[in-house]
Amino acid sequence: MTAVSDVAARRSASTDSPWQDGHHGTRRSAAPTTLTAEHGDVYVEPDLTPLGAREANRSALSALLDTVGIPHFAVRGTVDHGTVIGVDEEHRESVLQAVFRGLSQFPGHLTVVDPDAPRPAKPVSSRDPRAWRDVATARVLQISWYRTDPGRHLLLGHEYGCALEFWQRQGAHLVAPRANRITWAVAADGGNVKGAARLFSRFVSDWTPEPLAPALSTRPEFLVNCADDIAFPVDAVYTWVDGNDPAWQQRKAQAKGEVYHAESASDARFISRDELRYSVRSLHLFAPWIRNIYVVTDDQVPAWMREDVPGIRIATHREIFRNPEDLPTFNSHSIESQLHHIQGLAEHFLYFNDDMFIGRPVAPHAFFTPNGTARYFPSRNRIPQGPVAETDSPVDAACKNNRALLKERFGKVITQPMEHIPYALRRSAMEEAEREFPEAWARTSASRFRAMTDLSPTSSFALYYAAMTGRAQPGSMPFAYLQLAVPDLADRLQRLRDGRDRDTFCLNDAFSTPEDIEAQQELLDDFFTSYFPTPSPYER
C-alpha cells in the first residue's frame, strides 16, 4: 500500500472492469490512469479498501480461468495481503492463454515468482514484453491490477494480487510448487468444497462482510483449523464526547468545582475534531476482522454516524455505569472503569481513544495470541518513583496508584506506563479486577474529573492485572505518537502520510490553545481525508 500524490490523468476513456462486485454486479471503473513509469496502469476504484482490492484481483483471475473451463482451487498461502489459486500443470498452455488475453484487454502487472529466490522480483507491466519472458516455465505467477481511490490517495498494488500456482501430478496427488500453510499435496482427482474466507487471510474473520470476503472454492485438505488461527470474536470500543454540545457543557460547568489540576479540565481534552469518524474508517480499511464497534458516550451521537446498520452501536454512560450516582462524569478513568459492562461485548476487545488510528492492514494477531492472550505495549518512559505527590500529573498519579495496588497483591513492581497504542483487553480480567479491588475501582468510578486517587483502568491497571494472572504478555509493533501542539505538525503529518509504515498511530492533544486549534484543523482535515479516503458503512 502506497500513498499517491500529484497524479496526472493521461487517459480519460472508461471501460468495464474484468472483476465482479458483490453488491452491484459488474462494476464500471475509470480507465487505467498512467501514474508513473514505475506504477504503470492503475484503475480508479470507488469505495476502495485493501480487502476489496485483494478480492477483486482474485475474482478477476478466477473469472479468466472460468471462461475457458480451467478447474482451480484456492490455496491457503503464507501471506495475508494477496490470495493464491492452484491449477493442474497439465492445463498450463490454456491457463497462460487465458491470462494473456485478460491482461491484453485489461493491462495489469505480472511477476514470475521463484520460490527459492532470496527476495521477490519487481512487478512488471503486462504491456512490457519482458513481463512474459519466463512464464512458459514459471512455477508461480503473481498477477495484479493496481487500484487507486478517486482522490488518488491510496495505491494498492502487487502485494494485493493473486498468485497462480502450477501444481504437478505425482501419482494420485497434485504437488505444490512451494510451501503453503497446510499441505504439500492434494488429491489429484478430488472435488472442490467451499472454505470460509478467514482460512485464506488473517485480515479476515467470520464477521467480515461477505462481499469483501466471500467463501472460496478450495480443496478439502485446506479445511482445517490451525494452531495459529484466531477464530474468536474481537470487538472495538471507543469513548467519545462532543465538547461543543451545549447540554454537555452545562453538565460540565455544574460539576467543574471538582477540578484539581489544569490538565484535567483542559478544553483540548474534550474537542471533537471528527477523529472518531476517521478512526472508524481506519478499522473499515485496515482491520475488517473487527466484529462490533461500541461508541461509549454521555447520551450523544456523532452527527455523521448511522445507527441503523449492524456492526456499530452507541453505549451510553447510563447503560454501563453500575452506580448511577457516579454520573455525570467527565473523567476518562471513570468511564474506562465501566467499559466491561457493555452489553454484548466480546471477551476480547480493543479499546481506542478517538485519537488512535490503525495505520495499515493489521491482523488480530498483533493484539492477541491465538490462544487468547492479550498483548500490551510498555512505554520507553518510566513511572516516577515514590508515592503520589501534589506535583504529579494525573497520568503519573494514576500509574503510581496502579503500582501500589499491584505490588501489594502480587509482590511485583510495575515500572512502565503503556504506549498510546489501542489497548487489547480481556473482559473477564476487568470484571475480576473490579471484584478484587472494589474500593479503588468504586473510587475511580465516582471521580467526576481526574483525581489523585484514580486508577488508570484500561491503559495500565487491567493490562498488568491480566499479565500477572496469565492473560496478557508484552508485545511490540511499529507505531507513531504525534502531539498536535508542535510547530512542525505539518511536516510530521506529511511524513506519516507518505510513509504509511506504522501499524497504529495516535494524534494526541492535551495542551493546544484556542489559537492553535483553527490552524491545526485545516491540516488535520487534509490529512484525514487523504489517509482514510474511503467512508465506512457507518457514515450517513
Side-chain angles (χ1 to χ4, degrees):
M1 181 181 63
T2 311
V4 180
S5 59
D6 299 324
V7 177
R10 300 182 185 175
R11 301 173 60 158
S12 60
S14 64
T15 180
D16 286 332
S17 62
W19 48 86
Q20 299 293 309
D21 174 66
H23 291 295
H24 308 295
T26 302
R27 300 181 67 164
R28 182 167 292 275
S29 173
T33 299
T34 303
L35 303 178
T36 67
E38 175 186 2
H39 292 140
D41 293 297
V42 178
Y43 294 82
V44 177
E45 277 290 301
D47 303 323
L48 184 69
T49 68
L51 199 59
R54 170 183 176 271
E55 171 54 23
N57 284 326
R58 184 209 64 81
S59 61
L61 183 56
S62 179
L64 290 175
L65 299 177
D66 286 339
T67 59
V68 291
I70 303 296
H72 55 280
F73 53 91
V75 176
R76 291 181 67 173
T78 59
V79 297
D80 296 310
H81 292 82
T83 50
V84 183
I85 286 176
V87 295
D88 190 331
E89 169 70 30
E90 293 183 354
H91 300 302
R92 174 182 289 272
E93 183 175 352
S94 297
V95 168
L96 293 180
Q97 289 176 356
V99 169
F100 182 80
R101 285 196 300 270
L103 288 172
S104 296
Q105 184 179 6
F106 298 99
H109 289 77
L110 189 65
T111 301
V112 174
V113 178
D114 180 358
D116 301 318
R119 61 181 60 87
K122 187 177 180 180
V124 181
S125 169
S126 62
R127 296 178 187 268
D128 189 332
R130 292 174 298 176
W132 302 93
R133 185 173 298 164
D134 299 316
V135 298
T137 57
R139 291 182 285 172
V140 184
L141 298 175
Q142 177 85 357
I143 300 165
S144 66
W145 289 268
Y146 285 21
R147 290 170 168 82
T148 187
D149 63 286
R152 293 160 171 79
H153 301 298
L154 295 178
L155 177 65
L156 303 184
H158 209 51
E159 63 185 318
Y160 298 97
C162 185
L164 183 60
E165 294 184 344
F166 293 95
W167 289 50
Q168 293 187 332
R169 282 185 176 253
Q170 294 184 10
H173 293 90
L174 291 176
V175 178
R178 59 177 180 172
N180 55 62
R181 290 187 62 204
I182 305 299
T183 181
W184 278 99
V186 299
D189 298 322
N192 283 10
V193 295
K194 288 292 186 180
R198 69 170 176 82
L199 299 176
F200 302 94
S201 174
R202 298 185 306 167
F203 297 148
V204 177
S205 73
D206 287 333
W207 299 275
T208 303
E210 198 272 342
L212 287 177
L216 301 184
S217 181
T218 188
R219 290 301 184 90
E221 289 88 345
F222 292 111
L223 300 185
V224 296
N225 289 317
C226 294
D228 59 348
D229 289 343
I230 288 183
F232 52 79
V234 179
D235 289 341
V237 175
Y238 289 91
T239 50
W240 179 81
V241 63
D242 177 7
N244 295 319
D245 176 11
W248 181 88
Q249 289 177 340
Q250 183 176 5
R251 292 194 295 271
K252 178 170 175 273
Q254 292 173 348
K256 203 169 183 179
E258 297 182 13
V259 177
Y260 77 99
H261 190 287
E263 183 185 340
S264 300
S266 166
D267 288 338
R269 298 184 61 83
F270 304 106
I271 294 170
S272 175
R273 303 176 185 270
D274 228 9
E275 299 104 321
L276 178 62
R277 178 204 296 260
Y278 293 101
S279 185
V280 171
R281 283 191 185 187
S282 79
L283 296 185
H284 173 61
L285 281 165
F286 305 137
W289 39 269
I290 291 290
R291 183 186 67 164
N292 289 318
I293 300 170
Y294 297 93
V295 182
V296 177
T297 76
D298 186 7
D299 288 316
Q300 296 176 317
V301 179
W304 55 265
M305 181 180 147
R306 295 181 59 182
E307 294 186 87
D308 61 338
V309 293
I312 194 168
R313 181 171 77 80
I314 294 292
T316 68
H317 294 179
R318 291 181 293 103
E319 171 192 332
I320 67 175
F321 269 76
R322 286 300 175 261
N323 186 353
E325 295 181 0
D326 293 344
L327 297 175
T329 185
F330 309 90
N331 177 5
S332 60
H333 290 158
S334 168
I335 299 165
E336 290 162 6
S337 75
Q338 304 296 306
L339 297 183
H340 54 291
H341 297 309
I342 295 173
Q343 185 177 3
L345 182 66
E347 163 67 9
H348 301 84
F349 68 99
L350 299 181
Y351 170 54
F352 288 75
N353 301 133
D354 64 3
D355 58 4
M356 294 177 175
F357 307 84
I358 302 295
R360 61 181 178 181
V362 296
H365 300 68
F367 300 99
F368 297 98
T369 68
N371 69 0
T373 301
R375 302 187 195 274
Y376 62 92
F377 306 96
S379 170
R380 290 166 291 181
N381 296 326
R382 294 297 183 270
I383 301 170
Q385 295 296 311
V388 174
E390 292 182 1
T391 55
D392 284 333
S393 70
V395 172
D396 287 342
C399 285
K400 288 182 175 183
N401 293 328
N402 298 341
R403 179 175 63 196
L405 278 183
L406 293 170
K407 181 182 178 182
E408 180 182 0
R409 175 59 55 89
F410 298 103
K412 296 181 179 181
V413 174
I414 64 172
T415 61
Q416 295 165 270
M418 298 296 171
E419 297 288 11
H420 287 72
I421 294 173
Y423 308 112
L425 295 164
R426 296 282 301 268
R427 186 178 187 178
S428 61
M430 290 192 68
E431 290 171 342
E432 187 176 307
E434 182 179 23
R435 291 195 304 269
E436 292 295 310
F437 304 94
E439 293 182 4
W441 212 271
R443 189 164 53 243
T444 300
S445 176
S447 298
R448 299 193 191 278
F449 291 90
R450 288 192 175 183
M452 301 301 262
T453 56
D454 282 356
L455 303 177
S456 47
T458 54
S459 63
S460 177
F461 192 88
L463 296 170
Y464 279 121
Y465 182 84
M468 293 179 187
T469 56
R471 286 170 282 191
Q473 66 183 40
S476 63
M477 70 165 56
F479 78 101
Y481 173 81
L482 274 70
Q483 178 57 251
L484 296 183
V486 293
D488 61 341
L489 177 62
D491 291 339
R492 296 190 188 198
L493 291 174
Q494 187 65 46
R495 287 196 296 271
L496 184 60
R497 175 169 47 197
D498 289 347
R500 295 179 182 263
D501 57 356
R502 307 289 94 178
D503 286 351
T504 68
F505 60 87
C506 176
L507 305 181
N508 189 257
D509 186 15
F511 305 105
S512 292
T513 66
E515 293 74 23
D516 296 330
I517 291 170
E518 184 174 353
Q520 290 173 359
Q521 193 62 49
E522 185 175 351
L523 292 174
L524 290 173
D525 286 344
D526 178 64
F527 173 80
F528 286 142
T529 55
S530 58
Y531 204 113
F532 309 111
T534 304
S536 75
Y538 312 116
E539 297 181 36
R540 294 186 183 277

